Amino acid sequence: GFSKTSYKSDGTTEEEYSMTVYNLLPKAGYFVMNNLAAGFEILISGYSEKDLDDGDTWKESTVGIGPFVRYYYPLEKIYPYAEAKAIFGSCKETWYDGDEEKSGLFMFGIYLGAALPVGESITIDLSAGYSRASYKYTWDNEGTDEVAYEIHGGFGIGLGITIYLPL
């Protein structure tokens, strides 16, 4: 996504920041038994924010990989499912002055959804659930490792397309 943030005051408008965001979450799985798929998901995400007044930029990039399991309950025209996943990775933040900070990432999620078949081997998936991400920051403080955690959690919805390939 692309956006701009501007501020209005006393009839004047000032453009302050432009932002760019991307998130890719491809996954591949295999039916290990009837209606139970297991596999891996990859997380590739980024965020960039630029101050339009002075050109200062802040960037964040995140990469990760982890397992998922999904169980389908097949009905005649729709396939409800439950899914659980975990992702392990890292995040790097870069500030306008060139300073960088890296952190470890652990994320998990639990979702309920439904897959609507569109043809023989494609479904449109809609899900809702809870996810939580924890970032671990470590730095040296006069010879002693300091540790801090940044934790995000909340409910959300997802929309996706699944393609079932024959073996």
Side-chain angles (χ1 to χ4, degrees):
F2 304 95
S3 66
K4 281 188 180 178
T5 300
S6 58
Y7 299 93
K8 293 183 179 185
S9 176
D10 298 325
T12 62
T13 301
E14 295 180 27
E15 292 183 345
E16 293 289 329
Y17 299 97
S18 66
M19 291 157 272
T20 304
V21 179
Y22 64 90
N23 292 298
L24 299 171
L25 295 150
K27 62 173 89 171
Y30 179 78
F31 281 96
V32 295
M33 58 187 276
N34 281 349
N35 305 319
L36 180 64
F40 286 93
E41 181 170 15
I42 296 172
L43 166 66
I44 303 168
S45 177
Y47 177 86
S48 174
E49 183 175 287
K50 183 177 183 179
D51 186 322
L52 297 175
D53 290 332
D54 58 20
D56 288 347
T57 302
W58 177 77
K59 295 180 182 181
E60 178 180 290
S61 60
T62 305
V63 294
I65 188 168
F68 79 91
V69 292
R70 182 184 280 192
Y71 182 78
Y72 291 92
Y73 185 81
L75 298 176
E76 198 168 302
K77 296 185 180 188
I78 194 166
Y79 309 132
Y81 63 83
E83 179 177 310
K85 68 178 178 180
I87 294 178
F88 305 89
S90 64
C91 178
K92 181 172 92 170
E93 296 174 84
T94 307
W95 285 272
Y96 66 92
D97 60 4
D99 283 347
E100 289 185 356
E101 185 172 310
K102 295 180 182 177
S103 61
L105 166 69
F106 172 67
M107 185 167 83
F108 72 88
I110 299 171
Y111 306 89
L112 295 176
L116 178 64
V118 184
E120 289 286 316
S121 59
I122 297 175
T123 60
I124 304 255
D125 301 350
L126 179 63
S127 64
Y130 176 81
S131 66
R132 176 183 165 148
S134 175
Y135 297 88
K136 180 181 180 182
Y137 298 92
T138 306
W139 66 94
D140 181 46
N141 184 13
E142 298 178 8
T144 304
D145 281 347
E146 295 283 334
V147 177
Y149 295 91
E150 178 181 342
I151 299 169
H152 303 268
F155 293 91
I157 59 171
L159 178 66
I161 298 173
T162 300
I163 301 172
Y164 302 89
L165 302 174
L167 292 178

